[in-house]
Amino acid sequence: MNKEEFKSIINEEIFNKILKMIDEKKLSMNNTILFQKHMGYCKMLKNVWNPCFEISSLSRRFKQMIADEEKKNEENEESLLVDLCESYLLLSKWASLELILICVPCLLKVASAKDESEEVQTEVEMALLALSNINEYIEMKRELYFKEIKEIIEYHQEHRNLARLDYQTAWKFLMSRFFNDDSLDEVIVNELRFGREAVRELEELRGNVDWKRKEEEKEERRKDKKKELIILRWLGTLEQNFTYFKLWNAEFVWLIGSITRLFRASRDNYRVISEQCLVLFKRTTNRFEAVEELMKGGAVDDVLEEIKQPTLDDRLSLNVFHFLLDLLRKLKEKKKDEMEEVKRKATIRKAFEKMEEEGYEDIIISFYEIFNFLFRRYYHGLSLNISDYFVNI
């Protein structure tokens, strides 16, 4: 079942029907929980967002059951509470603070298991996926999660005990907490070495995907689907990092190089990945060190090549020109330090020479005002077919 087909069957009606079957004794609660966990797992892997569960009567029943189980505090029923928390969080992105206070410690305990057996690792994966679905805007105090998630990440860095998806998911949960606690910046960047870890993961994943496989090779393509999913999840986490984090070190320069290589590898047959790489390029242009690396590593050349593609569409056009405009704006910012200013002038000279050589500078400048207008009013798309402007390039 593809993503669109899966989205079409998840609606409020189906959840209300399930609750009716439970009340009529046609479906046991245990089977319902297992079904909900499987549905939530598929939803996470397909990257589907759908609020229907949250507004259903079944959601209210689950919330009450979680609260009731937590009050019992019976050790032999702990697995039921885990299943309920996972079922709920995998399907709901807006859990109440009351449920967060119950579910987070419960699931972090499961995710902290060191046993590498297949059964335990499956439980770890479910717990981490459920935790990673908690919305970044939901505020939780450090003492609720920090010690445990930091230990999970550090233990993996030393022992490599987690599957790739699980490790990325642990980072996603921690990175999402930054939105309400920017003091995590220091820990994530300098203690846990996020840049280094992301480089290693992306490089290994890039080396394990057959980038030459075309869409029509569906049977073979399925083998790379999970790797593709993990890459996209890493890129999504990187976007959050590049957008909000203030700290920057040499590892992030290496990371830009890694993203550039991924962009180059994926742009023929894995467009969804290459487009996300392009979004990341756009996010990094607020730092001069990043602009230098984008120029030196060939990312700018690769992006310029995109304009010549016969498959250029409006969304891609918007991202390409947004990236180039932001890059040129950053290069125009004068530096107070004399040596830095000399370096900036040398870099901007190379950039404009490249633009002029390829014939793009005049095009970018001529559309400067219209793009500013469009960015202010159409964040997700354009009101006109701007790709038509590039037919003579």
Side-chain angles (χ1 to χ4, degrees):
M1 186 183 297
N2 63 35
K3 183 175 178 177
E4 293 307 312
E5 290 171 335
F6 184 78
K7 283 172 70 175
S8 69
I9 65 168
I10 300 183
N11 51 52
E12 185 181 0
E13 184 181 1
I14 193 172
F15 293 119
N16 289 337
K17 281 183 178 178
I18 290 171
L19 181 60
K20 185 178 179 182
M21 291 175 70
I22 294 170
D23 291 339
E24 293 175 349
K25 310 297 184 186
K26 294 178 180 177
L27 184 64
S28 71
M29 183 53 73
N30 283 340
N31 284 339
T32 301
I33 293 170
L34 290 175
F35 175 69
Q36 296 292 99
K37 280 178 68 171
H38 181 68
M39 184 183 290
Y41 181 79
C42 292
K43 168 184 160 293
M44 293 292 290
L45 293 193
K46 292 180 185 295
N47 195 28
V48 171
W49 183 81
N50 191 315
C52 294
F53 175 71
E54 290 162 305
I55 59 175
S56 69
S57 302
L58 184 61
S59 170
R60 292 191 288 275
R61 178 70 62 87
F62 267 62
K63 283 192 278 190
Q64 187 59 54
M65 289 179 67
I66 290 170
D68 292 344
E69 286 302 315
E70 197 270 338
K71 286 175 185 175
K72 288 180 184 178
N73 199 24
E74 296 178 10
E75 193 171 327
N76 62 334
E77 292 296 327
E78 196 172 88
S79 63
L80 176 57
L81 180 58
V82 170
D83 288 339
L84 285 167
C85 290
E86 289 174 348
S87 298
Y88 186 84
L89 291 181
L90 284 166
L91 288 168
S92 174
K93 204 168 179 66
W94 289 99
S96 65
L97 184 57
E98 180 186 9
L99 283 185
I100 293 292
L101 293 173
I102 297 171
C103 292
V104 169
C106 174
L107 297 186
L108 281 173
K109 183 177 179 181
V110 175
S112 299
K114 304 297 189 296
D115 189 337
E116 294 186 32
S117 67
E118 186 176 345
E119 182 181 358
V120 171
Q121 286 304 301
T122 299
E123 292 172 359
V124 168
E125 181 175 66
M126 278 290 191
L128 286 171
L129 274 174
L131 287 166
S132 74
N133 198 42
I134 297 173
N135 196 283
E136 63 189 23
Y137 296 108
I138 295 175
E139 188 172 359
M140 59 179 83
K141 293 183 179 179
R142 266 203 192 199
E143 52 264 33
L144 187 66
Y145 68 89
F146 181 70
K147 179 176 178 291
E148 291 80 0
I149 197 67
K150 185 170 182 282
E151 286 179 357
I152 289 169
I153 291 172
E154 289 177 328
Y155 188 84
H156 174 77
Q157 290 175 346
E158 184 176 352
H159 300 281
R160 296 285 178 262
N161 63 307
L162 296 175
R164 288 196 187 280
L165 177 61
D166 304 347
Y167 187 47
Q168 189 285 322
T169 305
W171 271 112
K172 186 176 187 300
F173 171 74
L174 179 58
M175 298 286 280
S176 295
R177 308 287 67 80
F178 173 82
F179 194 84
N180 286 299
D181 183 0
D182 58 10
S183 64
L184 286 172
D185 202 337
E186 172 68 30
V187 177
I188 289 171
V189 173
N190 292 330
E191 286 187 45
L192 294 176
R193 306 289 294 278
F194 173 74
R196 178 196 64 188
E197 296 298 297
V199 168
R200 192 193 63 251
E201 292 294 313
L202 286 180
E203 287 296 313
E204 291 182 6
L205 283 162
R206 183 173 58 83
N208 290 330
V209 173
D210 184 353
W211 299 104
K212 301 298 182 184
R213 281 186 185 142
K214 297 184 179 179
E215 189 62 40
E216 54 266 24
E217 300 174 37
K218 291 184 179 177
E219 196 58 44
E220 290 298 313
R221 185 79 177 249
R222 283 197 191 99
K223 296 176 183 178
D224 290 331
K225 273 294 180 185
K226 193 163 187 179
K227 297 169 193 170
E228 186 178 346
L229 162 79
I230 300 169
I231 289 172
L232 285 169
R233 286 175 65 91
W234 271 109
L235 295 179
T237 304
L238 285 170
E239 183 180 359
Q240 189 176 25
N241 175 274
F242 290 157
T243 303
Y244 300 115
F245 279 51
K246 295 172 184 167
L247 289 183
W248 185 272
N249 59 26
E251 292 170 2
F252 286 88
V253 176
W254 307 338
L255 191 50
I256 291 170
S258 185
I259 297 166
T260 302
R261 290 186 286 277
L262 183 61
F263 177 74
R264 202 169 289 145
S266 63
R267 63 182 184 172
D268 288 336
N269 298 319
Y270 289 76
R271 296 298 293 177
V272 65
I273 291 178
S274 64
E275 286 182 16
Q276 186 60 37
C277 290
L278 184 55
V279 170
L280 288 180
F281 291 152
K282 187 171 63 177
R283 293 279 185 252
T284 64
T285 52
N286 62 330
R287 298 177 187 274
F288 186 75
E289 309 97 307
V291 170
E292 283 191 298
E293 182 59 28
L294 289 166
M295 292 287 299
K296 185 174 65 175
V300 175
D301 299 82
D302 292 334
V303 171
L304 290 173
E305 281 295 315
E306 285 297 304
I307 299 176
K308 298 178 181 178
Q309 297 299 318
T311 54
L312 188 72
D313 59 30
D314 294 335
R315 184 178 61 179
L316 188 58
S317 302
L318 177 66
N319 283 326
V320 167
F321 275 80
H322 198 170
F323 163 67
L324 293 172
L325 285 168
D326 285 351
L327 182 141
L328 294 174
R329 284 192 193 107
K330 189 64 181 179
L331 287 174
K332 287 179 179 179
E333 292 178 6
K334 293 184 178 180
K335 299 288 183 181
K336 292 181 180 178
D337 182 89
E338 188 175 337
M339 292 299 293
E340 287 295 310
E341 179 62 10
V342 170
K343 188 190 293 185
R344 181 192 73 84
K345 286 181 178 179
T347 304
I348 197 170
R349 186 167 57 251
K350 289 178 186 176
F352 277 105
E353 283 174 0
K354 169 60 69 176
M355 298 292 179
E356 188 175 13
E357 176 188 334
E358 300 290 346
Y360 298 127
E361 184 185 0
D362 291 339
I363 296 170
I364 293 168
I365 292 171
S366 67
F367 287 118
Y368 188 91
E369 287 304 321
I370 191 172
F371 269 87
N372 278 342
F373 172 82
L374 290 169
F375 294 151
R376 288 195 298 271
R377 289 163 175 75
Y378 302 94
Y379 184 75
H380 293 293
L382 298 174
S383 61
L384 43 93
N385 298 319
I386 64 170
S387 53
D388 292 344
Y389 291 118
F390 309 134
V391 293
N392 295 319
I393 290 178

